[in-house]
Amino acid sequence: MKSGIKNAATALSLILLPAYSWAHAGNGAGWLHPLSGIDHLLAMIAVGAWSVQIGGRAVWLVPGAFVCFMFLGGVIGFEHIELPFTEVGVSLSVVILGLAIAFRQRLPVAAAAAATAIFGIFHGYAHGYEMPLMQNKVIYTVGFLSTTATLHLVGAFGAHFLQKVAIGSRLLRLSGALSALCGVWLVMNAV
């Protein structure tokens, strides 16, 4: 019982962090940015879902790598250091993560974390580069990182519960395939 209450409290705090960031950030773009494009939304939910498919330590290491390297990408973006093919990298993350889910790729945890870390750099760069000039960088960063972590949780909980029902694994794989198709469309528009 205590574990359930602790997990619920943790999930609630992660959900409320974006609201806190929005309340102090002026226009709230930091927490809102990951929700503003289908590319970010699909990739971040997919990271959580794929981590559950892999299982074990991947459940926290794979999303953790994404968020940590997203922070790094955000710093690079704030400084407007050139990172070529950012939109292609973001779009390809949707394709690759979708395919990983569709084909149930259980990479070693280190390889999966490294892949999501690379994707995190591209997503973070896009967030940092597009930060409004008058925005507080710290609050903006807390906003986009906490929303990202929340989206990872959405994907992880969704995959966890899907795998508990009879056709859930097939539905999860179908969702991955549909996400990958959407990613192909995004790549074609990014090139």
Side-chain angles (χ1 to χ4, degrees):
M1 181 73 160
K2 287 182 183 179
S3 176
I5 293 171
K6 184 178 176 182
N7 290 342
T10 301
L12 182 60
S13 14
L14 287 172
I15 290 168
L16 293 177
L17 270 174
Y20 173 79
S21 299
W22 181 68
H24 295 85
N27 67 7
W31 75 269
L32 188 59
H33 195 264
L35 303 172
S36 66
I38 192 74
D39 50 356
H40 297 301
L41 195 62
L42 288 174
M44 292 170 189
I45 291 171
V47 167
W50 187 41
S51 71
V52 168
Q53 263 189 332
I54 297 168
R57 296 181 324 149
V59 172
W60 61 274
L61 279 174
V62 170
F66 187 98
V67 172
C68 289
F69 281 83
M70 183 181 202
F71 172 77
L72 175 64
V75 170
I76 295 168
F78 291 150
E79 299 304 320
H80 287 251
I81 298 168
E82 188 63 30
L83 181 64
F85 308 111
T86 301
E87 287 304 317
V88 173
V90 167
S91 300
L92 277 174
S93 73
V94 177
V95 175
I96 293 168
L97 289 164
L99 289 174
I101 293 168
F103 292 107
R104 205 167 188 197
Q105 292 299 301
R106 294 186 181 199
L107 296 180
V109 175
T116 58
I118 293 167
F119 301 149
I121 290 172
F122 285 112
H123 285 269
Y125 181 84
H127 295 326
Y129 190 85
E130 295 170 8
M131 183 187 83
L133 291 176
M134 299 304 292
Q135 197 70 249
N136 177 307
K137 289 180 182 178
V138 173
I139 299 297
Y140 184 87
T141 302
V142 168
F144 74 71
L145 291 176
S146 59
T147 300
T148 296
T150 303
L151 290 171
H152 291 335
L153 284 172
V154 168
F157 281 117
H160 173 75
F161 290 115
L162 272 175
Q163 290 182 344
K164 290 185 175 281
V165 297
I167 62 166
S169 182
R170 281 189 243 147
L171 288 175
L172 181 58
R173 293 177 71 189
L174 176 63
S175 298
L178 292 173
S179 181
L181 284 174
C182 185
V184 169
W185 177 78
L186 290 166
V187 169
M188 292 186 330
N189 287 308
V191 194

